[in-house]
Amino acid sequence: MHSRTIHILNGPNLNLLGKREPEIYGRDTLEDVARTCAALAVELGLETALYQSNHEGEIVEMIHRAREAAAGIIINPAAYTHTSVAILDALNAFEGPVLEVHISNVHKRESFRHHSYVSLRAEGVIAGFGVQGYELALRRMAVLLG
């Protein structure tokens, strides 16, 4: 494990956070999430680096880079949650803790959203707390890292 840096990885369409379906995802942007998490990280003795991609392979690459640079991963794989064995395999090759975050409560939504490949690797899942879920995950990560 490396440093006290937490990589916060975000999947497809999260670049539109705050603009896309605000009734589901709220009005905060991904930049707001990055700012809030960076400030909280200082309080917790951690650092954060937030990344987003609409491309599955790039998310896999982000996870590979985290192997050398991050103590833990907080991941919101978005739609890839339900489809990506590649992301699961990459997470399985990461040695630190992994927490899965979903802004909406996926269990109140379409049935195909009820299955998560990422959950097979994650130490915990936070869903339905809006963007506050990232902060909750960061607090949990601080506990997991001791």
Side-chain angles (χ1 to χ4, degrees), residues 8-12 14 17 24-26 33 74-83 87 91 98-109 112-120 122 124-137:
I8 302 172
L9 309 181
N10 293 277
L14 286 163
L17 192 60
I24 296 175
Y25 301 107
V33 171
I74 294 170
I75 185 167
N76 180 346
Y80 290 134
T81 303
H82 322 293
T83 63
I87 289 172
L91 289 169
V98 173
L99 296 174
E100 179 180 352
V101 170
H102 299 286
I103 295 167
S104 68
N105 180 353
V106 292
H107 303 289
K108 281 181 70 173
R109 299 182 65 196
F112 71 84
R113 294 187 195 274
H114 299 174
H115 176 264
S116 168
Y117 284 102
V118 173
S119 292
L120 295 171
V125 180
I126 296 170
F129 288 85
V131 295
Q132 187 184 10
Y134 291 95
E135 297 166 62
L136 296 169

Side-chain angles (χ1 to χ4, degrees), residues 17-83:
L17 192 60
K19 302 173 195 91
R20 172 184 159 239
E21 299 180 273
E23 66 283 357
I24 296 175
Y25 301 107
R27 300 218 176 267
D28 288 317
T29 66
L30 208 52
E31 293 77 23
D32 295 331
V33 171
R35 256 193 313 281
T36 302
C37 286
L40 177 58
V42 170
E43 220 178 279
L44 298 171
L46 301 170
E47 291 179 26
T48 55
L50 186 142
Y51 305 98
Q52 186 276 331
S53 179
N54 294 318
H55 306 284
E56 183 179 26
E58 180 55 33
I59 296 167
V60 169
E61 294 292 339
M62 290 175 188
I63 296 164
H64 291 179
R65 286 192 294 274
R67 288 170 44 91
E68 302 302 319
I73 293 174
I74 294 170
I75 185 167
N76 180 346
Y80 290 134
T81 303
H82 322 293
T83 63

